[in-house]
Amino acid sequence: MTRVCVPVCEKTIEALETAAVRACESADVVELRIDCLTRLEDLQRVLSLVSRPVILTFRPREQGGNRDLDQQARQLFWGTAPQTQWWDLESDLTSVAKEPDWSHVIVSHHDFSGVPSDLTEIYERLAATPAAILKLAVQAHDITDCLPVFQLLDRAQAEKRYAIAIAMGNAGLATRILGPSRGAFLTYAVLEEENATAPGQITAQKLRSVYHVDEIDRETMICGLVGLPVMQSVSPHMHNAAFRNADLNGVYLPLEVRDVQTFFQRMVDPRTRELDWNLRGLSVTAPHKSAVLEFLDWIEPEAKEIGAVNTIVIEDGKLHGFNTDAAGFIAPLVDTLDSLNGLRVAVIGAGGAARAAVWALLKHDATVTLFARDADKARALGQVFDVSYEQLSSASFADHDLVINATPLGSGDLIDQTPATAEQLAGVRCVYDLGYNPIDTRLLKEASKAGCKTIRGLEMLVAQAGKQFALWTGRSPSMSVMYESAASALGH
Ligand code: NAP
């Protein structure tokens, strides 16, 4: 059974009441974080309003709470605390004024600095108490910090103990999503992201409607996005919606990876990994698209030529690498322009996306000129593919049929910027912006003003994702489901 617990942490009793009632809409269990209240008040009214089982928590600051509390204050609180479904007692609270009903106690230990080297001993200390449930929360700095957490869950299951084990932080997200399927008594989620009571918590709504946490089991096929950063990605929205639409038991999660080599050795490669999980496929994004090549058993020739892999399939114990960026990039272009043969194309940027774009354009017999702010990088990429290059600052695009933006200009923090104005685009037939957040970038608006056809980066994003899905599942996804889920995640 999957339980989602939503902690509520408010300064006033009125705000606590409101938040607790709201939490009941998406939570199976509500945690009342009493340490967040600035003034302690009678809790009976709040408890009478909560229609879910309640965990009562009174956490001292040094264990991640919001209050300076000495032992005496904590003992006093628990001595008169109302009985709820569970009390969360920190493991150092060896005695409380009145003997608790241990069958309703979660004994907890938090480490916000990392994964303690004596984690096993800590687990054993918790397990030696009569508490019904053991809780261990550690801070993940890398995805591999999830391993000891999953191992604790395995051990607790083997020993028939109820346990909650979490790796906090973005790198630990897998423990929050997969934990219940691996025996965790519950997983924590927040009402709104800005209300997180621990790093890395996502909303209960997302846990249910994007990741379908209630439906994940040990047979679930697992896919994920390897990169840094990955939390902002819309890929989980697309792939999870496509799994569901195809009625497949699959889940796709962000995997925040710093050290690719260790990740592949300890978590991915079936010959060396330390985790028994049904890992089927990976998407790879910046900055790891080239770094992963050396860990693969086989790489398709196109990906080798491009020098980047964005898709990995794990099959028969081996790792196979593909590049779906190039085909995903070309698909919307061919739809819009029919043929690229002989077209004069300006590619702006000299990074990973530009590399796949140039490779694909040359395969379709276009004539390419590279424009980059860094002349050395433009020259280096230009020489790889034997295409001409120019400095972006002095660019005129008048002699080109097609202009492609493969830089972050116009996206994210650079939302107000554009690599070309309507004046610079006069006479250009089509403008394609690979950036997709926002969907309609400033460049695309400038292009419309100049009378050019436009192609959105979202088209490429969905096209390359559709090809990844097919490689992992052998099935064609619903492209409209993928498109709509991505667009909605981007606020459309
Ligand atoms: P990347 O490898 O980091 O390359 C980025 C390129 O943009 C580099 O040439 C960089 O130049 C240049 N650049 C960065 N900031 C710039 C600025 N302020 N002015 C001018 N040039 C600038 O990134 P990437 O993976 O190629 O991605 C590039 C863009 O394409 C991103 O917006 C990404 O989201 C988008 N993309 C979209 C899809 C899709 O499916 N739609 C797929 C892949 C990428 P320096 O080397 O000098 O920094």
Side-chain angles (χ1 to χ4, degrees):
M1 176 185 176
T2 298
R3 297 179 189 85
V4 175
C5 173
V6 173
V8 285
C9 178
E10 298 292 343
K11 289 189 175 140
T12 67
I13 199 89
E14 294 76 22
L16 185 72
E17 281 174 10
T18 311
V21 169
R22 277 195 57 218
C24 293
E25 291 164 18
S26 53
D28 303 299
V29 176
V30 174
E31 182 186 32
L32 298 181
R33 287 286 304 269
I34 305 307
D35 49 287
C36 301
L37 286 173
T38 42
R39 203 156 59 87
L40 287 183
E41 292 184 51
D42 183 17
L43 297 173
Q44 285 307 338
R45 199 183 126 77
V46 187
L47 292 173
S48 70
L49 297 171
V50 181
S51 57
R52 304 283 182 204
V54 166
I55 300 175
L56 204 61
T57 302
F58 193 56
R59 188 94 68 227
R61 200 176 300 284
E62 63 275 15
Q63 301 213 33
N66 281 272
R67 224 181 168 89
D68 294 318
L69 291 169
D70 58 20
Q71 280 278 344
Q72 200 189 359
R74 292 163 73 194
Q75 293 200 359
L76 200 64
F77 173 83
W78 289 113
T80 54
Q83 188 60 55
T84 56
Q85 185 68 35
W86 294 286
W87 285 0
D88 179 329
L89 300 181
E90 298 80 27
S91 59
D92 69 319
L93 198 68
T94 44
S95 65
V96 292
K98 75 173 183 233
E99 178 76 2
D101 177 350
W102 288 105
S103 65
H104 292 274
V105 168
I106 299 171
V107 62
S108 64
H109 180 93
H110 298 77
D111 191 322
F112 288 86
S113 62
V115 181
S117 54
D118 59 345
L119 190 63
T120 307
E121 287 77 17
I122 296 170
Y123 167 86
E124 284 165 1
R125 272 207 305 277
L126 299 187
T129 71
I133 303 169
L134 324 175
K135 176 186 174 191
L136 268 152
V138 298
Q139 181 69 36
H141 296 293
D142 186 68
I143 183 90
T144 48
D145 288 333
C146 294
L147 282 170
V149 169
F150 285 133
Q151 281 154 4
L152 277 190
L153 287 175
D154 286 347
R155 176 169 173 184
Q157 260 200 324
E159 294 173 357
K160 299 200 178 352
R161 294 299 304 256
Y162 289 127
I164 303 165
I166 305 145
M168 299 179 286
N170 294 341
L173 184 60
T175 62
R176 296 187 185 278
I177 297 172
L178 301 179
S181 68
R182 307 182 67 91
F185 184 76
L186 56 76
T187 187
Y188 292 91
V190 283
L191 266 182
E192 274 114 25
E193 242 134 51
E194 56 273 20
N195 290 349
T197 54
Q201 282 177 350
I202 57 171
T203 63
Q205 192 268 342
K206 206 166 174 184
L207 209 48
R208 290 222 150 95
S209 66
V210 176
Y211 297 103
H212 303 285
V213 67
D214 313 74
E215 290 163 38
I216 302 172
D217 55 31
R218 286 299 280 252
E219 267 72 58
T220 299
M221 174 176 76
I222 297 167
C223 295
L225 172 65
V226 178
L228 186 70
V230 286
M231 294 302 282
Q232 81 301 345
S233 170
V234 298
S235 294
H237 296 262
M238 286 191 289
H239 285 293
N240 286 315
F243 280 141
R244 200 168 172 75
N245 180 260
D247 206 16
L248 287 169
N249 181 12
V251 67
Y252 181 101
L253 30 145
L255 302 167
E256 187 179 283
V257 173
R258 276 166 211 284
D259 177 348
V260 188
Q261 179 171 9
T262 313
F263 172 61
F264 271 74
Q265 188 192 337
R266 299 189 63 198
M267 292 182 79
V268 178
D269 192 326
R271 290 155 293 200
T272 55
R273 70 188 178 200
E274 297 161 36
L275 182 63
D276 173 21
W277 60 340
N278 187 15
L279 187 66
R280 168 67 178 163
L282 297 169
S283 306
V284 187
T285 189
H288 301 317
K289 282 186 186 178
S290 299
V292 296
L293 262 72
E294 64 175 291
F295 308 111
L296 306 177
D297 294 290
W298 176 86
I299 301 166
E300 67 168 348
E302 293 85 345
K304 259 194 199 157
E305 278 183 37
I306 299 166
V309 157
N310 79 326
T311 312
I312 295 171
V313 180
I314 301 162
E315 189 145 40
D316 300 331
K318 299 249 168 75
L319 307 180
H320 300 160
F322 302 84
N323 187 307
T324 68
D325 277 336
F329 161 78
I330 281 293
L333 262 181
V334 173
D335 282 351
T336 308
L337 298 174
D338 294 332
S339 166
L340 306 180
N341 195 340
L343 285 194
R344 297 159 306 165
V345 186
V347 174
I348 307 170
R355 201 180 171 97
V358 173
W359 181 89
L361 288 163
L362 294 177
K363 285 278 167 206
H364 284 74
D365 299 315
T367 303
V368 176
T369 305
L370 268 179
F371 292 83
R373 66 174 173 182
D374 182 329
D376 290 341
K377 288 186 184 161
R379 184 182 315 114
L381 189 57
Q383 283 169 354
V384 170
F385 291 110
D386 196 18
V387 300
S388 54
Y389 50 87
E390 288 184 31
Q391 184 91 36
L392 179 59
S393 55
S394 55
S396 155
F397 300 110
D399 295 336
H400 293 87
D401 303 298
L402 172 63
V403 172
I404 294 165
N405 177 33
T407 75
L409 287 169
S411 300
D413 294 343
L414 307 178
I415 188 166
D416 296 329
Q417 300 193 29
T418 179
T421 58
E423 291 72 41
Q424 284 174 286
L425 296 170
V428 171
R429 223 171 115 195
C430 180
V431 173
Y432 186 1
D433 194 344
L434 304 194
Y436 52 82
N437 191 8
I439 294 177
D440 290 309
T441 59
R442 178 157 166 224
L443 174 65
L444 293 181
K445 290 179 186 152
E446 296 285 335
S448 297
K449 259 194 253 168
C452 318
K453 285 188 180 180
T454 56
I455 306 177
R456 296 157 146 190
L458 184 60
E459 307 282 345
M460 169 179 173
L461 184 75
V462 175
Q464 62 79 30
K467 290 175 197 308
Q468 296 186 316
F469 185 97
L471 284 166
W472 298 325
T473 65
R475 306 252 302 262
S476 299
S478 160
M479 298 310 286
S480 60
V481 163
M482 285 190 128
Y483 192 95
E484 277 153 29
S485 55
S488 128
L490 291 166
H492 273 239

